[in-house]
Amino acid sequence: MTYMVSKEEEFCSTGIKELDIQMGGGIPLGSTVLVVGSSGSGKTTLCMQFLINGAKRGERGVFFTITEPLFKLTKNFEGFEFYDKKLIESGMVNLIDLRIISERLGLDAEKYTVEDAGALLDILKDIAEELNVKRLVIDSITALCYRLQTKEMIRDFIFKLGTSLAAMKCTTFLTSEVPPRTFRYSQYEIEEFIADGIIFLGDVDRRGDLIRTLQLIKMRGTAHSRTKFAMSISSKRGIELTPLLKS
Amino acid sequence: MANTIIEGLRERISTAAKINQSVGIIVPGNNYSELLEAIFDQMFSTNDIWTYVTVTKPFDSIIKTFPNLSDHRNIRFIDCISRAAGISKLYPECIYIESPTMLEKISMEIINIFHDANVEENINKYLVIDSLSALMIYNDPETVTEFFYHLINKTRTENIHSISLVVEEEETNKYLNKIIFLNDKILRVRDSFI
């Protein structure tokens, strides 16, 4: 593959060395990236590491959780060496339970109307602007889209969110939940068309053991690798990658 | 007599590993323990950085054989079989891999250890793989072959000297024959030598 010449100011480094190399330096600033995987594939860890690594470089970030309460989320990360509590306390990484925000806005209906979706979009944009974040995570977009009634609403929501955040040069990770060992990128099969990038987390079976994998499917603006990587998640180093053996 | 022979073997390994980037050692099964003793003597006698990957014996068994192992801070272990075998006694000075099938993870840990050591240029870095024969038991031969190709190339790039063991009874395996000759030098330990 041919790597693009990396200009640091145009790329958002994930801080995961091998992943950045595969994209020629990082993710183009302001991109919306779908992080796809089944339960336990490492989506949330990848997103948190992305935010923490950004905060260590002075880039403020926000993590909107929908799938698990904040106390559980923080407890799960306490064992990781990359997770620096001080970055949370100082506001460099902001953790927000989107369900609580939605409830406070009166957005607690099973299904959102177009107006509800608009109100939620506005609040997400307002928070991002107010905090002046350069990195944003929604975990998960699948849970959020569940409340949007049509594919058009989903498309519109993600498109508008991505456009607003791109204008702020804020790079966004949206996690997408898919069933295990399936080759699809989203629940509603619309998210991947709007996203600028797709990072697919899966696994391969080797004699009954599951080897975690990561593959870059799409990353607009980069001549990225499409090689499948073996992914390791450890408390000491977080996510690490090495090319997967082909045999 | 036994000590003299082990000393001789240690000398051979030491010289071969210094001169060559990668050394393959073919050993008869019944002389495996003498070879191990010679390798450990060599590791104990230097200040070089050593990483020992065991797929043959659990670390618990190794530390019982060499109780003063913990005193040698320049030697790190990667145990690929204890967790898969359900051995619950784990030591903090050893890195445990979930399963010997996780070959990519083994590579990552090897490189991490040497990077973390961050040693001066005059300190040599050595890697021992014990053994390619055991890796073949837990993996498809093609996968081990590919793993070893990558490992040899990676260690060369990182200026790490490697010593890979093959137990002779299994050496007839065509894959083992193929990969052992990727090394720069082959040492064949003969029964008669021991």
Side-chain angles (χ1 to χ4, degrees):
Chain A
M1 71 167 266
T2 321
Y3 292 116
M4 291 183 75
V5 179
S6 163
K7 288 182 185 167
E8 205 176 301
E9 66 271 21
E10 291 175 9
F11 287 92
C12 173
S13 163
T14 63
I16 298 164
K17 193 179 155 198
E18 197 61 45
L19 185 57
D20 287 339
I21 291 171
Q22 298 312 312
M23 296 183 288
I27 299 164
L29 281 185
S31 296
T32 301
V33 179
L34 211 56
V35 179
V36 184
S38 60
S39 171
S41 60
K43 300 183 294 296
T44 307
T45 307
L46 176 64
C47 291
M48 187 59 84
Q49 203 168 337
F50 163 74
L51 285 187
I52 296 280
N53 287 342
K56 285 175 183 168
R57 296 161 59 99
E59 295 172 21
R60 201 180 292 271
V62 61
F63 189 109
F64 290 105
T65 176
I66 309 172
T67 49
E68 61 183 332
L70 287 180
F71 77 90
K72 263 193 181 174
L73 182 76
T74 49
K75 195 170 186 295
N76 291 342
F77 280 107
E78 274 165 12
F80 283 95
E81 276 186 25
F82 73 78
Y83 183 77
D84 186 349
K85 238 181 172 176
K86 284 182 193 149
L87 293 171
I88 314 289
E89 289 160 0
S90 67
M92 282 304 289
V93 175
N94 301 272
L95 308 178
I96 297 175
D97 190 329
L98 200 55
R99 289 171 305 181
I100 294 173
I101 300 266
S102 303
E103 276 172 30
R104 287 186 187 164
L105 287 171
L107 299 172
D108 45 7
E110 177 76 1
K111 295 287 178 191
Y112 288 163
T113 62
V114 175
E115 290 72 31
D116 290 343
L120 185 64
L121 195 59
D122 286 343
I123 195 75
L124 290 174
K125 284 192 290 187
D126 288 349
I127 291 172
E129 267 174 14
E130 197 182 315
L131 295 172
N132 190 25
V133 296
K134 293 296 166 207
R135 299 181 184 219
L136 183 145
V137 171
I138 297 179
D139 187 18
S140 71
I141 194 68
T142 312
L144 199 152
C145 288
Y146 170 76
R147 296 197 169 192
L148 304 176
Q149 298 181 42
T150 62
K151 283 195 174 183
E152 287 71 24
M153 279 178 75
I154 294 172
R155 176 184 277 273
D156 197 47
F157 185 88
I158 299 174
F159 179 76
K160 283 181 178 163
L161 179 71
T163 310
S164 313
L165 295 172
M168 294 169 55
K169 291 200 168 176
C170 174
T171 307
T172 303
F173 274 18
L174 308 174
T175 69
S176 171
E177 300 160 25
V178 291
R181 259 143 272 139
T182 49
F183 207 65
R184 57 190 280 195
Y185 305 130
S186 65
Q187 181 73 32
Y188 304 98
E189 296 179 326
I190 191 85
E191 300 92 309
E192 60 264 42
F193 296 106
I194 311 155
D196 301 303
I198 301 174
I199 299 174
F200 188 85
L201 308 182
D203 50 47
V204 292
D205 184 302
R206 189 177 291 155
R207 293 204 172 183
D209 294 325
L210 293 178
I211 316 283
R212 290 180 192 277
T213 62
L214 180 149
Q215 195 166 23
L216 274 169
I217 306 294
K218 161 178 162 182
M219 194 59 66
R220 285 179 186 144
T222 69
H224 64 88
S225 157
R226 289 172 65 89
T227 303
K228 195 175 268 189
F229 284 82
M231 183 173 91
S232 158
I233 303 179
S234 66
S235 55
K236 187 169 183 190
R237 298 175 197 277
I239 287 175
E240 285 180 287
L241 303 171
T242 194
L244 182 74
L245 296 171
K246 313 288 179 221
S247 306
Chain B
M1 177 66 181
N3 282 348
T4 312
I5 287 164
I6 288 166
E7 178 54 27
L9 196 52
R10 186 189 73 77
E11 232 4 89
R12 278 182 78 192
I13 296 166
S14 163
T15 310
K18 263 181 207 153
I19 299 170
N20 302 284
Q21 196 79 50
S22 55
V23 177
I25 305 179
I26 302 168
V27 60
N30 53 347
N31 297 128
Y32 172 79
S33 55
E34 283 93 346
L35 175 68
L36 221 58
E37 206 169 318
I39 291 174
F40 275 78
D41 279 355
Q42 176 60 16
M43 294 199 298
F44 293 154
S45 69
T46 72
N47 288 323
D48 295 325
I49 300 292
W50 291 81
T51 297
Y52 193 102
V53 178
T54 175
V55 194
T56 311
K57 284 180 163 187
F59 181 68
D60 182 46
S61 152
I62 292 174
I63 204 163
K64 278 174 184 154
T65 314
F66 303 100
N68 61 342
L69 203 53
S70 307
D71 303 337
H72 297 270
R73 314 295 291 178
N74 59 324
I75 307 170
R76 295 298 306 270
F77 277 83
I78 299 177
D79 178 328
C80 306
I81 52 166
S82 288
R83 287 181 66 183
I87 295 168
S88 54
K89 190 164 184 190
L90 305 179
Y91 295 79
E93 59 264 51
C94 176
I95 292 169
Y96 292 89
I97 305 287
E98 277 173 67
S99 162
T101 61
M102 299 190 168
L103 298 169
E104 294 90 345
K105 178 74 176 164
I106 298 172
S107 305
M108 281 190 234
E109 292 295 359
I110 290 169
I111 299 301
N112 283 339
I113 286 175
F114 287 114
H115 281 180
D116 287 353
N118 195 21
V119 290
E120 292 162 21
E121 273 188 24
N122 60 331
I123 304 283
N124 288 317
K125 297 175 276 185
Y126 290 97
L127 166 70
V128 181
I129 304 283
D130 175 12
S131 64
L132 293 173
S133 319
L135 277 178
M136 288 280 184
I137 297 169
Y138 298 103
N139 293 279
D140 294 334
E142 292 93 342
T143 316
V144 179
T145 307
E146 193 190 346
F147 163 75
F148 194 63
Y149 263 98
H150 288 319
L151 189 67
I152 284 280
N153 287 328
K154 215 177 275 181
T155 49
R156 277 187 185 135
T157 314
E158 300 275 342
N159 202 20
I160 299 164
H161 296 256
S162 68
I163 300 169
S164 314
L165 313 188
V166 164
V167 181
E168 199 167 40
E169 277 85 349
E170 294 145 62
E171 199 225 333
T172 44
N173 179 323
K174 67 170 180 174
Y175 290 99
L176 278 174
N177 261 330
K178 193 170 146 189
I179 63 175
I180 193 75
F181 284 103
L182 286 175
N183 290 295
D184 299 331
K185 168 85 180 169
I186 306 291
L187 291 183
R188 200 178 282 272
V189 180
R190 303 277 183 207
D191 275 320
S192 55
F193 182 84
I194 300 279

